Amino acid sequence: MKKLTSLMMATALTATAAAPAFADGHAQKWDMPMAYSASNFHSENGVKFADCVRAGTEGAIDITVHPGGSLFKGADIKRAIQTGQVPIGERLLSGHQNENAVFGFDSVPFLATSFDASAKLFDAAKPKLEEILSDQNLTLIYSVPWPPQGLYFKKEVNSVADMEGVKFRSYNNATARLAELTGMLPVTIEAAEISQAFATGVAESMVSSGATGYDRKVWESLTHFYEVDAWLPYNHVMVNSDTWGGLDADTQAAIMACGETAAADGLEASKAYTQFTLNGLREGGMTVGPAGEGLVNELKVVGETMTAEWLEAAGDDGAAIVDAFKN
Ligand code: PCA
């Protein structure tokens, strides 16, 4: 009750202070679910984006960020936006490859392994991505890559044979497939829950960035991080298209301008966080370094299989993205 009263008061305050950006003159309060911890750079960037939107719309759009999967779990965020349960949210679209293979453009092993290459790949995929999202009642506001993906284990691993039977935490279709092709046992676990999964032995390895391992203090359970630079997956901030269509042009432009800033700031933060978090894993006691040549060569073979599978699933759209990326 107390919460409700203060929420109503806050709404009333915002409504009187705000410039009337809408036909009915009311400010809108938007809840923005995000799946990753509050201290993660995507989440911090989301808070900065919310501040920018509040300032840019003179308080007309007041976004509250809910990090750590506290409002909706990562897997549920996209649907929550689509169905209008929330007007805005952030999600890793490669977790929805079963809806459309194009969503997995950023998780094809060894297709784009650096920040520069992944930016080029994203530019190549963006028009198609926006088209698919638009058909799903979603408007893309901004996208930010994670740092390069590497492999975490609780033992030394020098070959795919060493991975046999290991319980592997996956976060999207590609990570689950990688586990299958390397003889590991995939289990889907949200980033917010991995510390516990590793502590209890539900999982004992994963592919992810140094950032996520650092955020979740995985050195408490794991011992090795191998830099593989397999791919750089993107998080995407999206708005429900009905909500979007109800905004006037100035409000839309102000939000898009904040999105552009957030994309640029997020990219810089991702780059800076890469080395910072690898150092953090080391300070936590983990062995951090490039994967050995033998392991890399074996993973490249797995990558070729996964690339062929993705191209098959994504058809002409996938081929067009890869062509645009390579030219
Ligand atoms: N962290 C996210 C996705 C990619 C990454 O680096 C995760 O592990 O869930």
Side-chain angles (χ1 to χ4, degrees), residues 88-150:
I88 190 168
E90 181 192 63
R91 174 62 176 154
L92 182 96
L93 279 177
S94 60
H96 298 279
Q97 237 192 97
N98 47 351
E99 293 173 25
N100 192 315
V102 168
F103 287 155
F105 78 94
D106 59 4
S107 302
V108 179
F110 307 113
L111 180 59
T113 61
S114 67
F115 280 102
D116 285 351
S118 92
K120 200 170 171 216
L121 179 61
F122 174 71
D123 286 344
K126 195 177 176 200
K128 195 74 217 170
L129 210 55
E130 286 181 316
E131 194 185 311
I132 298 164
L133 289 173
S134 159
D135 287 346
Q136 296 188 333
N137 204 33
L138 293 167
T139 301
L140 186 64
I141 307 295
Y142 72 86
S143 309
V144 173
W146 285 92
Q149 305 290 289

Side-chain angles (χ1 to χ4, degrees), residues 233-265:
Y234 277 76
N235 279 3
H236 307 269
V237 170
M238 298 164 283
V239 170
N240 175 288
S241 295
D242 297 327
T243 308
W244 186 252
L247 303 176
D248 62 38
D250 286 350
T251 306
Q252 288 184 349
I255 296 174
M256 278 302 180
C258 291
E260 268 180 43
T261 306
D265 288 355

Side-chain angles (χ1 to χ4, degrees), residues 207-229:
V207 61
S208 191
S209 56
T212 291
Y214 177 83
D215 290 337
R216 307 313 313 174
K217 297 190 172 58
V218 299
W219 53 83
E220 289 172 359
S221 306
L222 307 181
T223 55
H224 289 73
F225 179 75
Y226 293 100
E227 294 165 59
V228 177
D229 298 350

